[in-house]
Amino acid sequence: MTQPYKSILRAAAFAAALVVGTQAMAAGVDELPQNIRDELYNPQMIDPMQPIGESAYRDWKPKNPPPWKIGYASSYAGNTWRAAVMKRLQEEIIPKWKQLGLISDVIITQSNLNDSVQIQQMRQLVDQGVDAIIVCCSNPTALNQTVQYAYERGIPVFSTTGYLTSPYAVNSSANFVVGGYMLGEWMAKEIGGKGNVLNVEGIPGASASDSQNLGILNAFKKYPDIKVVGSVAGMWTDQVAQSEIQRWLATNPGQLDGVTIQSASELGALRALKQSGRKMPPITIGGELGALCYWRKNPDYISSSVQAWPPGDDFEMSWNIMMRTLEGQGPKVQSILTRPQTLTADELAKVLDQNCDEESGAWYNVGIEKWAGKNYLDQFFLHPADPEAFKP
């Protein structure tokens, strides 16, 4: 299926959601505070495929007491974002929760964007006796039968940074339509409401990528003088994005006024634009420190950046939701969403100094309390409590 046709289908689904959106609001969402519902579960600003019904784990209890064995079925390991997730998991999360006596082990698998391999690996984790599984950034429908396979054996599945459409999954992330809309609105204002924009998607077909893209394109609808002159897939990987953008620039010599791009690809975009010899147009910069460093050294380059998925914080959010669910706190809703954050030039100056490395593939994290802290997550559970203080 071609990308334009896919975009048409998703736009049609979005339009349909606006008609039935009020009916789609489930009791789980109705139990959330009004400000969260208005901002993050608004039918006009949420992916129409995002599951927002009541969670299947409202009254669920684990079959085993702690310490629990956890499976992490990652779909990809080839970009800076995934490396930052692994760093937080292995250096901070696992040691902390082992010391608390609540986990015994974490088994990690990688499927390299192969749905069949990820399905096989998840089934193996179930058969190996894990108590819960986290998956990352996966196809929204391909894993559903395997999620049900796990559920029927008493093993919940948690999808971080994107959603699965299975009713037996617990999803968590920022609202990526809101995040994408913020990127599109930012770009429109940055270029004065008119101009030619290259749109660099993440991994087409992954829910986080498609949701952000939907938000970006919807923001541009307000600006008839903005033209999306090209669309490429950066695959959330700097090397891929650099190659794709270089190829596009070589065959499209016309005016380019801006580049909307999903992290982690902005460092590759900067490299491609520098090598092209063109005047540097503004790009949407996320959390890669190398790209943030370029902005730090060129403070007039852009006005701010959007943090849609700080890797360590996003994964820890899902982890904390998993631990709360294992402790019987009862998530209210299938998808637990948070707000994208912005980073200003003044804030950046406190994060990086002028001696920063423009080639750094490390990431900026806003901090778990700012991203989805304990008080924030309490609002999404029927029996909220500090998960670190759990005594079985």
Side-chain angles (χ1 to χ4, degrees), residues 2-197:
T2 64
Q3 284 305 112
Y5 186 59
K6 286 177 62 180
S7 298
I8 291 171
L9 288 180
R10 290 190 66 82
F14 184 80
L18 300 186
V19 177
V20 301
T22 304
Q23 302 172 5
M25 284 293 183
V29 171
D30 289 343
E31 294 168 307
L32 301 178
Q34 188 66 49
N35 65 315
I36 291 177
R37 290 159 55 188
D38 291 345
E39 183 177 8
L40 301 177
Y41 294 84
N42 182 335
Q44 297 184 37
M45 289 296 290
I46 193 168
D47 190 317
M49 291 179 63
Q50 180 91 46
I52 56 171
E54 291 188 18
S55 172
Y57 299 94
R58 292 168 65 92
D59 302 310
W60 181 87
K61 303 293 182 184
K63 61 182 181 180
N64 297 318
W68 292 298
K69 183 189 297 185
I70 308 302
Y72 172 36
S74 175
S75 61
Y76 187 51
N79 66 13
T80 59
W81 192 95
R82 305 297 182 115
V85 165
M86 290 296 292
K87 180 178 176 66
R88 176 74 69 90
L89 174 63
Q90 295 180 320
E91 295 183 6
E92 298 182 36
I93 295 175
I94 292 176
K96 171 184 172 179
W97 289 88
K98 279 189 173 181
Q99 186 174 8
L100 290 169
L102 294 175
I103 68 165
S104 60
D105 195 14
V106 176
I107 303 172
I108 300 170
T109 63
Q110 300 286 358
S111 58
N112 197 30
L113 300 178
N114 187 316
D115 293 336
S116 297
V117 172
Q118 191 174 23
I119 288 168
Q120 181 183 28
Q121 290 171 340
M122 290 174 64
R123 286 179 173 262
Q124 288 173 343
L125 289 170
V126 171
D127 297 340
Q128 289 172 10
V130 299
D131 294 287
I133 296 173
I134 297 180
V135 301
C136 180
C137 323
S138 306
N139 182 299
T141 59
L143 307 183
N144 285 357
Q145 288 187 344
T146 308
V147 173
Q148 183 170 348
Y149 176 84
Y151 174 81
E152 290 170 349
R153 287 153 182 80
I155 301 168
V157 175
F158 299 83
S159 178
T160 183
T161 317
Y163 60 78
L164 305 179
T165 53
S166 169
Y168 305 111
V170 180
N171 308 289
S172 68
S173 68
N175 180 323
F176 287 125
V177 174
V178 170
Y181 194 92
M182 290 169 66
L183 292 174
E185 186 75 16
W186 176 91
M187 177 57 70
K189 292 179 179 178
E190 207 78 1
I191 62 176
K194 60 182 179 179
N196 295 333
V197 175

Side-chain angles (χ1 to χ4, degrees), residues 104 229 258 350:
S104 60
V229 292
K350 299 175 183 178

Side-chain angles (χ1 to χ4, degrees), residues 10 32 60 97 101 127 167 201 265-266 273 291 298 302 308 312 391:
R10 290 190 66 82
L32 301 178
W60 181 87
W97 289 88
D127 297 340
E201 297 186 53
S265 299
E266 63 266 39
L273 289 165
N298 299 274
I302 58 174
K391 303 296 181 185

